[in-house]
Each structure stands twice: as C-alpha cells, then as structure tokens.
Amino acid sequence: MIYLFYGEDQFSIHEELKKMRVKIGSDDLLDVNTTELNGSSVNLAQILETSAVVPFLAERRLVLVKGFFKHAGNAGNKGEVEGDRDVNEGPITDMLNQIPDTTILIFLEDFIRPNNSLVKSLGKQMEICAFPVLKGRDLMNWIHQRVVSSGATIKESAVRLLADYVGGDLWVMS
C-alpha cells in the first residue's frame, strides 16, 4: 500500500496516520515496525531498501517519507519535481512496483501542485489524499461530527461561533 498525504491540515494527516498505525498491530511492536525518513536526505534506492525490510512479529510495517517530493525537485518549485534526474516517472514507477505488500509506504508533503505531472502519473500506483484546511460548511460539519463522536451535543449556533472564532486550526479546535 502506497500513499501520498499532502496539505496544510496537519491535524487530519496526524489522525489518518494514527489509523494507519493501527494496521501495524500491537503498540509494543509499533516502534520497531515504523521507520521515518527525511525526504531531503534519501534517494529512491534508500526508500526501496527500507521498504523491503520484513516486519518484525507483525503483518505490516510502516515507512514514512517526509518531504521527498519537495526536496527531489528544484528547491524553488514548491512541490514540482520536474527536472531532477533522480526522480522522474520511470525510476519512481519502477521503485513503487517493488514495494512489498507487507509495507505501508506513505509520502508526507506540505504542498504539491495539483497539476504536478509526476504526481498525476503516480496516481495509478498510489492513493493520493489531499488534506486542505477546512473552511465553511466542511469545517462546521467536522466540528459537529467531532462533538457527536465524543458523546455530546452542540447547537448549530455554537458550531458557527467556533468556526468563526477558531477557524480551520483543528489542533486548537480539538
């Protein structure tokens, strides 16, 4: 399983990662079966090598790569990875095909351009999940859902007030 999580809503990304960690198994095996890589200092071969490690006493392992696409391209391109000879459709597609089913590989990015051709082409091989900052009705629905899931109730006027005063910062909101 290969994912690309990107967006400014770091709270929702954090929540989604918690769900992924549950797939690893018991909490005592979580640390030994999770590897975090800094995307600014790894290449495709290192990601593949790390992803090929067999899980220890678990069905799956988790590999998180932070900022790989951001650092793979030209520094000023804000998420564009075009022009870098190490990362183009051929090598990264070949690499993704070699990731074993026992590995959950997640690329974490703050920003990716929606028209990024590399990311578009990789959409066939990985699940791409955008996490934009919630606004308007989406934010109010999130607030309502969060309150209800905690076993409480909230009036619509209170939901609007929270949305207006706190905004889309879900860390503060939670």
Side-chain angles (χ1 to χ4, degrees):
M1 303 172 112
I2 304 167
Y3 299 88
L4 169 61
F5 291 175
Y6 74 94
E8 296 174 358
D9 182 2
Q10 294 300 307
F11 180 84
S12 294
I13 290 174
H14 176 76
E15 292 288 296
E16 194 64 30
L17 286 174
K18 282 195 323 192
K19 292 177 192 174
M20 293 293 186
R21 285 184 165 104
V22 169
K23 294 179 181 181
I24 302 299
S26 65
D27 287 342
D28 52 339
L29 295 175
L30 184 60
D31 286 340
V32 75
N33 285 305
T34 300
T35 303
E36 292 187 25
L37 301 172
N38 183 341
S40 66
S41 61
V42 297
N43 59 35
L44 292 174
Q46 292 165 320
I47 295 171
L48 181 58
E49 183 180 300
T50 303
S51 298
V53 173
V54 177
F56 180 72
L57 298 175
E59 290 184 32
R60 301 215 185 279
R61 63 181 270 98
L62 180 63
V63 177
L64 304 172
V65 184
K66 296 180 179 181
F68 179 74
F69 288 100
K70 174 181 166 185
H71 295 307
N74 297 328
N77 283 348
K78 287 191 174 180
E80 278 296 329
V81 294
E82 314 300 333
D84 188 282
R85 71 182 196 293
D86 183 37
V87 180
N88 58 49
E89 190 173 342
I92 199 164
T93 299
D94 294 342
M95 187 267 304
L96 293 178
N97 286 331
Q98 297 177 47
I99 303 296
D101 292 338
T102 56
T103 296
I104 300 170
L105 173 62
I106 303 175
F107 293 97
L108 301 167
E109 300 290 334
D110 293 331
F111 178 81
I112 294 284
R113 292 180 194 269
N115 63 346
N116 182 303
S117 61
L118 178 60
V119 172
K120 277 184 181 179
S121 69
L122 295 175
K124 300 168 193 135
Q125 292 183 277
M126 70 170 82
E127 187 172 329
I128 300 172
C129 306
F131 294 89
V133 172
L134 296 180
K135 298 175 185 171
R137 180 50 60 201
D138 291 335
L139 177 59
M140 292 193 300
N141 288 340
W142 184 91
I143 295 168
H144 186 266
Q145 179 68 27
R146 189 79 173 191
V147 170
V148 169
S149 69
S150 69
T153 59
I154 188 169
K155 292 183 178 183
E156 187 67 25
S157 59
V159 169
R160 273 194 302 278
L161 206 62
L162 279 170
D164 289 344
Y165 282 110
V166 178
D169 187 345
L170 300 186
W171 287 106
V172 173
M173 190 70 73
S174 70

